[in-house]
Amino acid sequence: MRVLIVEPDLTGHHAPYLRHMLCGLAELNQETIVLSCAGASQAKQYGIHLQDVMSGVEWDESLEPGYDSPREMPKLFETLDTLMKRRQPDQIWIPYADHATVHLGMRRMMRRPFGWPPGVEAEGLFFRGTFAYPAPHWRKHVRRIASRFMLPRANWDVLHFLDSIPYDMMRRLHPDLASHFRLMPDPIEPVTPMEPAEARRELGVPEDSNYVGFLGVLYNLVAVDLLLRAFRKAKLKPADRLLLAGPISDAVRDHIQQKYSDLLRANRIVMVDRHLDLDEVMLAVMASDVVCTPGPYRMGSSSFVIRATAAGRPVIVDDFGWAAQTVRRFKIGWPVNVWNSKAFAKVLQSAFANVGMRTKSPAIERFIRYHSADNFKAHWTARIRERQGLPQDPKYLSWSWVLGETGAVPV
């Protein structure tokens, strides 16, 4: 089969996801084309995540930068249509399909559906599912109603969801389409167990402290401020520190220096201010005694909740959405209203008081295995295997298995 992947963006999770998808197709000896933006192969993410898996992959940079907004979807599908006519793929994968789904649904509603060529099947991955969450004001509420209306009208053969909350909602509202909806794992890299002191030494941060870690791309000023405000208020030991690891925006860095200079002078904040490769990301997780994802009202899956759980580290999350549901279901930490600095501070105190706590249970082990890169690849290639008459990947694990709703546990 010839598979065409549409991936205009290599930032954040996009390049690691694409790497796993390419590896999955290579294992099945599928012909692969990637449609991306001009200059994407020169991006640092390409060199870090993709360069060593590009053998045999056709890389097409026909798209211009900026195809990540709803208003650019007509141009994206125009370019996609041209490339499909020229290369005649059998399967289309769009691994960030939120805007594309609304666009496809709108076209069908207007009786101008986008026509996939005969014999071509299209799969998308829906990330945020904001329509399944409360809206803070009426404008967003209107958008979410529109999104909920368009999604079942989009002509996907398979639409994957990263978040179980919108997935469950769509299956409940549209049982006739349930076979087209599938839940996708959020893949994390394999975890090699490591003691916090060793991880801190390799990461280059002081070893003689306990840490709560806020990790990743640190551009969310609100999230950083909410965490720092609660950290300052919490009754902690002088050696209890906050680890900020990942690229920090100028606005966030300036805010910390101006508003929290007292914590900086006391060496209570440790910053590893650079882009982290996947190995360093896991070092930062294992260097932390507890991992915090303080972004308020965060919708969708959180890879850092999954990574922390795989490393045995408890998590602190905003009491909202997928993260709060997951923390409660698997008993892996503390959900808290991050806007309530007093409550947030008390949770930080509890976390530091329980340093050394490790999250482990049979359900947690299933949760971790589900979110493996192997399972991510197995889910993406499942439909191709079905079309080619191949058996299901033996590494395929379903969400119902995680919840204990199926029979034997795979080995």
Side-chain angles (χ1 to χ4, degrees):
M1 271 192 172
R2 182 176 295 157
V3 182
L4 171 57
I5 305 174
V6 181
E7 183 48 276
D9 184 11
L10 297 184
T11 62
H13 62 268
H14 293 267
Y17 274 25
L18 181 56
R19 177 188 180 87
H20 297 318
M21 296 164 78
L22 294 175
C23 290
L25 291 171
E27 290 169 8
L28 288 177
N29 296 313
Q30 306 297 310
E31 185 179 348
T32 306
I33 307 162
V34 177
L35 174 60
S36 193
C37 284
S41 59
Q42 306 306 311
K44 61 183 178 183
Q45 293 88 352
Y46 182 96
I48 292 171
H49 300 292
L50 299 174
Q51 195 162 22
D52 63 330
V53 296
M54 291 304 297
S55 177
V57 176
E58 179 182 334
W59 187 265
D60 188 298
E61 297 189 352
S62 298
L63 292 171
E64 296 179 5
Y67 280 87
D68 57 351
S69 68
R71 64 177 175 271
E72 297 298 333
M73 286 298 105
K75 291 182 182 178
L76 185 146
F77 276 92
E78 182 180 333
T79 304
L80 174 58
D81 187 53
T82 299
L83 185 57
M84 286 194 300
K85 290 174 180 175
R86 178 161 54 88
R87 300 296 289 118
Q88 298 182 338
D90 303 290
Q91 199 85 6
I92 306 293
W93 288 356
I94 301 185
Y96 182 77
D98 294 37
H99 299 322
T101 298
V102 174
H103 177 77
L104 289 171
M106 187 175 297
R107 289 184 64 147
R108 173 170 277 188
M109 186 187 71
M110 297 172 67
R111 299 184 180 181
R112 293 190 294 107
F114 181 79
W116 304 109
V120 175
E121 290 196 4
E123 297 182 65
L125 175 57
F126 206 90
F127 263 75
R128 295 300 173 202
T130 57
F131 59 82
Y133 291 91
H137 54 74
W138 70 268
R139 286 188 182 87
K140 286 196 174 183
H141 183 63
V142 170
R143 291 193 202 107
R144 289 175 190 183
I145 290 175
S147 180
R148 187 186 303 178
F149 183 78
M150 298 302 174
L151 187 147
R153 288 160 178 79
N155 51 332
W156 297 108
D157 293 282
V158 177
L159 183 60
H160 303 277
F161 290 82
L162 207 63
D163 183 344
S164 57
I165 293 174
Y167 167 76
D168 289 338
M169 173 182 277
M170 280 294 110
R171 285 172 57 87
R172 185 175 68 253
L173 294 177
H174 303 282
D176 55 317
L177 297 174
S179 62
H180 294 271
F181 300 145
R182 302 184 183 184
L183 197 60
M184 177 73 72
D186 190 351
I188 62 164
E189 50 281 356
V191 175
T192 302
M194 184 180 294
E195 288 301 312
E198 182 183 354
R200 292 163 192 164
R201 187 162 51 251
E202 291 199 23
L203 194 63
V205 301
E207 300 173 36
D208 58 343
S209 299
N210 298 320
Y211 289 93
V212 59
F214 182 19
L215 320 169
V217 179
L218 304 178
Y219 289 1
N220 188 331
L221 181 58
V222 172
V224 172
D225 185 68
L226 289 171
L227 175 56
L228 285 167
R229 191 188 310 170
F231 184 78
R232 175 192 273 163
K233 185 172 289 189
K235 298 175 182 177
L236 304 173
K237 298 175 183 177
D240 292 337
R241 288 174 167 163
L242 177 62
L243 173 64
L244 303 178
I248 302 173
S249 69
D250 292 341
V252 169
R253 192 183 307 106
D254 292 345
H255 183 75
I256 294 171
Q257 291 171 350
Q258 292 170 16
K259 191 173 179 180
Y260 298 98
S261 58
D262 57 319
L263 295 176
L264 289 172
R265 288 193 302 270
N267 295 317
R268 302 292 304 285
I269 301 174
V270 175
M271 292 189 284
V272 181
D273 185 3
R274 65 172 186 270
H275 182 83
L276 306 177
D277 62 30
L278 293 179
D279 290 337
E280 289 179 313
V281 165
M282 284 312 304
L283 276 179
V285 170
M286 289 183 286
S288 304
D289 296 289
V290 60
V291 172
C292 185
T293 60
Y297 306 135
R298 191 185 191 284
M299 301 174 198
S301 175
S302 167
S303 64
F304 278 101
V305 169
I306 302 166
R307 287 187 176 104
T309 305
R313 304 310 193 255
V315 294
I316 300 172
V317 300
D318 184 32
D319 195 0
F320 183 83
W322 178 94
Q325 182 187 81
T326 300
V327 167
R328 286 195 171 92
R329 174 176 278 157
F330 295 99
K331 298 179 175 62
I332 53 175
W334 302 269
V336 62
N337 178 358
V338 295
W339 293 104
N340 186 332
S341 59
K342 184 177 180 180
F344 198 173
K346 286 185 176 180
V347 164
L348 287 170
Q349 289 167 198
S350 296
F352 277 110
N354 286 279
V355 163
M357 168 185 170
R358 294 292 180 262
T359 53
K360 190 173 183 180
S361 73
I364 289 172
E365 290 302 315
R366 292 196 299 271
F367 175 78
I368 295 166
R369 288 180 62 186
Y370 174 81
H371 287 292
S372 67
D374 283 339
N375 199 32
F376 182 76
K377 291 185 288 185
H379 277 251
W380 268 114
T381 57
R383 181 56 192 152
I384 288 176
R385 285 176 171 272
E386 291 170 5
R387 294 186 70 188
Q388 294 185 326
L390 298 174
Q392 186 181 77
D393 190 326
K395 296 176 182 176
Y396 183 99
L397 300 171
S398 70
W399 183 243
S400 59
W401 168 74
V402 177
L403 301 181
E405 297 171 0
T406 59
V409 176
V411 295

